[in-house]
Amino acid sequence: MMIKHLFNSAARQIAVAAVFILSTMNGMAQNKQFTLEDLNFGGNNFHNMIPEYRNLTWWGDQLVRRNPEDCKLVDKSNGKETMLFTADELNKWAGTNEDNKVRNLGYVQFPYADKSLVLITAKNERMLIDFKKKKTIWRQKREKEQAAEWNAKSKAVAYVKGDNLYVTDAEGKTKQLTTDGSREIVYGQAVHRNEFNCNEGLFWSADGMKVAFYRMDQTMVADYPQVNTFEREATYEPDKYPMAGMTSHKVTVGVYDLNTGKTVYLKAGDPTDRYFTNIAWAPDGKKVYMFELNRDQNDCRLRAYDAQTGERTGDLYREADEKYVEPSHPIVFLPWDSSKFIMQTRYDGYNHMYICTLGKHGSRMAGNTESLEVEQLTSGKWEVLEMMGFNQKRKSIIYASNEANPLQYNIYSVDVATGKRKLIDSDGKGWHEAAILSASGKYLCDNYQGPEIPRRIAAIDTENGKRCLLLDAKDPWTEKGYKVPEYSCGSLKANDGTTDLYWRMVKPVDFDPNKKYPTVVYVYGGPHAHNVDARWHWSSRSWETYMAQKGYLLFILDNRGSEHRGKDFEQATFRQLGQVEMQDQMTGVEYLKSLPYVDADRIGVHGWSFGGFMTISLMTNYPDVFKVGVAGGPVIDWKWYEVMYGERYMDTPEANPEGYAKTSLLNKAKDLKGKLQIIIGMNDPTVVPQQALMFLNACSEAGTQPDFFAYPGEGHNMMGHKSVHLHERITQYFEDYLK
């Protein structure tokens, strides 16, 4: 008995010790510290720190999971996966050599809903492989393409090589369409510096027998003298950069017909000081539609052109605004009625969809042979964020909007005949921007996040609402034992007393409300962007978590001028960029000062690009508020920014001299009191180095002392692992001067 008692006692002691050790280890595991290698996108461990993801695409109405090594069919009712094919099998069926081997299936496409064909874009060729018959049925030689657009109907490809435009048909016959291409004469690529949603330059008709393309003449545009410092002797590598108020490029639109072998250019008139955007085709391929803007960007026309002759056939719609009009979406024809299309516009103050019906009786305007009836389809004090496609059977449109909440991105359907709307995403909350629609529109693959949801993916029947959860990703940070700060969201009233401004806060790890913390305001503030929404952690940037781990409080507010809040909200900043934005940011600062745990004597600010402009604006306009700032890629004076963006929001320097003078930071260099670091990419083609360098010159003349760091060879953002270096530098500056 004594022996047994002693044994049990020893066992208990061992058990207690084991529990203590395990609890200690668990506590240590939950105290793991992040590094920038974990959190920054350029970090070596970043890929392990993002929520689990599945690369899904549609083959008609069938859902396919694309992995690097294989593709699997996903059962939409239960999530079960069955193998379609592997990369090794595709290479075997295609007979590829080592140079042309298919190595990653993450980018394959299934262009035909009714055929078991997968499109492979290998290094040297395109291939259509029948994965049921296990053989390659079609191949097309692939060139070293600067830009390319392939059409599934005709199997023809239009591409740019050596700055010139080519078309190769399905049989492999290639025709060179241009011979004068250069860095000054640009074919088949994005124009207008990617403004107005101009992100591509090749547009196929539905039947794949005609391709429209941009031609941009930049010969008259001044060169910005970029320099390559990596050569033994630095070399001159200029960029074409039209600054506000200066000579801009000229764009024309050509159409090549594969049947006739001829090219015509749309007879849109003199392209000087005009913008041609959002090209679309009629369903029968006989007409081309595009929006046309004057240089002031306050007069927009939708016009139609005959694709055979280039003649204008319709001046269909006109929209003018005392500030600006910004067409950003091509028209989209209804699949079941070729006489009607959907147009998006902010005509009533918010971006909405309109049903447009073509008529045969034109107006008296010259060249007009058709008219347009316009009827509003969606309305309300919210915005359509994306038109995803159609459910042809139900004759409805599947689209995304922020109707439920300004911070959300939800998926709806709207009946074209009745205008009745229905929520169809998983829960009516969160941010569903990554959702994709099947070919018929019957099914939705809903890939979404919420403030407490790292990622969920569900297959949804858009008609009856049935859903199958395919993935409920775990939090990779807590799962791996990292200590995570608290993320919260709220709103404040702007100084007009009515406008809601939404903010995000990241509190320090191990937050103690009785302590006072150094606080960093992260800011962007410009149009076409926002910082706060209903994604995971309220869309917090990973660097904020890194700073919270180091004992800082982070605060981020979306001011007037940012996106998705309606025309008045955005246009409040017109002709005076930075002024209203600063008012709103200071409303946020006053809120911070009211919090007992914010150290009002240790407030810093950081931002990049427009946020860099805002950082220096705040540092110099409120020098007694902000102790430390880090401004990346900052605009200093809008007269040095590009034509399209600069003139939309500021007009020209000649038309708005007071606005340019008021917003210029050159005049504010003398007011700098705190510690300011400016960081740029030395070859930035977006916010050119001249901006920061001239501010440094103004500071030297005024006797103020900013710090400066440049990344040779880098553009507007630091790429790859240099981003880790950049964020360590930003962090260290606050550690040195704010903490």
Side-chain angles (χ1 to χ4, degrees), residues 93-296:
W93 301 334
T96 54
N97 57 32
E98 189 64 26
D99 186 51
N100 202 41
K101 190 175 181 179
V102 180
R103 302 180 189 278
N104 186 345
L105 302 187
Y107 305 98
V108 301
Q109 300 174 49
F110 298 83
Y112 308 101
D114 57 345
K115 298 177 182 177
S116 56
L117 299 177
V118 58
L119 175 68
I120 305 292
T121 304
K123 180 180 178 182
N124 300 320
E125 61 183 338
R126 288 178 183 83
M127 296 173 282
L128 283 171
I129 300 176
D130 190 320
F131 50 86
K132 287 188 176 178
K133 295 181 179 179
K134 302 182 179 181
K135 64 178 182 179
T136 301
I137 67 162
W138 176 84
R139 312 177 92 105
Q140 183 182 68
K141 184 179 178 183
R142 184 167 179 246
E143 302 288 345
K144 293 181 179 179
E145 302 157 345
Q146 294 166 260
E149 192 69 28
W150 182 81
N151 182 267
K153 187 78 172 180
S154 66
K155 300 186 183 68
V157 62
Y159 62 94
V160 180
K161 182 183 75 169
D163 296 316
N164 280 302
L165 186 59
Y166 298 76
V167 169
T168 299
D169 64 19
E171 285 70 46
K173 182 180 178 181
T174 299
K175 181 169 181 178
Q176 183 172 347
L177 305 187
T178 68
T179 58
D180 60 340
S182 67
R183 79 176 188 90
E184 296 192 325
I185 305 293
V186 179
Y187 286 102
Q189 298 175 72
V191 299
H192 306 321
R193 297 190 64 84
N194 297 90
E195 297 294 331
F196 319 107
N197 201 30
C198 289
N199 297 315
E200 54 190 15
L202 297 165
F203 311 89
W204 282 104
S205 59
D207 63 3
M209 297 310 295
K210 299 185 186 74
V211 61
F213 60 89
Y214 278 129
R215 179 185 190 272
M216 179 168 63
D217 183 351
Q218 300 187 105
T219 55
M220 68 292 296
V221 176
D223 280 332
Y224 184 83
Q226 299 281 12
V227 176
N228 179 356
T229 57
F230 289 90
E231 300 294 332
R232 173 63 179 83
E233 293 183 352
T235 55
Y236 179 58
E237 295 182 357
D239 287 332
K240 289 292 182 180
Y241 195 90
M243 292 183 179
M246 301 182 75
T247 304
S248 188
H249 52 243
K250 298 179 182 180
V251 170
T252 49
V253 178
V255 176
Y256 174 70
D257 189 325
L258 274 72
N259 287 321
T260 65
K262 294 181 179 179
T263 299
V264 300
Y265 279 85
L266 304 187
K267 297 177 182 178
D270 186 355
T272 303
D273 293 336
R274 295 171 68 201
Y275 303 122
F276 300 144
T277 78
N278 295 283
I279 291 171
W281 280 94
D284 61 7
K286 292 182 179 180
K287 291 180 181 177
V288 177
Y289 299 84
M290 67 181 178
F291 288 96
E292 304 175 17
L293 274 172
N294 61 335
R295 179 156 174 173
D296 281 346

Side-chain angles (χ1 to χ4, degrees), residues 316 447 668:
L316 303 177
N447 183 336
K668 295 292 183 178

Side-chain angles (χ1 to χ4, degrees), residues 486 507-517 553 596-598:
E486 175 189 331
K507 290 180 178 176
V509 171
D510 294 326
F511 174 72
D512 182 347
N514 297 312
K515 290 184 178 180
K516 285 187 175 291
Y517 292 96
L553 184 144
Y597 45 82
V598 169

Side-chain angles (χ1 to χ4, degrees), residues 520-525 555 557 559 578-589 603-607 610-631 663 665 668 671-674 676 695:
V520 177
V521 174
Y522 177 77
V523 61
Y524 179 75
F555 184 79
L557 179 141
N559 50 244
Q579 309 310 298
V580 171
E581 299 94 319
M582 280 193 289
Q583 294 174 21
D584 289 351
Q585 291 297 327
M586 291 310 296
T587 296
V589 170
I603 296 179
V605 58
H606 166 51
F610 197 103
F613 165 68
M614 287 294 296
T615 295
I616 302 178
S617 296
L618 289 165
M619 287 284 293
T620 54
N621 281 276
Y622 302 93
D624 295 321
V625 173
F626 297 96
K627 183 179 180 181
V628 181
V630 179
T663 60
L665 298 177
K668 295 292 183 178
D671 299 320
L672 179 64
K673 282 180 64 176
L676 171 66
F695 184 75

Side-chain angles (χ1 to χ4, degrees), residues 289 302-304 314-318 341 358 368 370-372:
Y289 299 84
L302 173 63
R303 285 174 169 153
D315 203 330
L316 303 177
Y317 174 80
R318 181 182 183 184
F341 61 80
L358 290 166
N368 226 32
E370 52 188 317
S371 62
L372 194 70

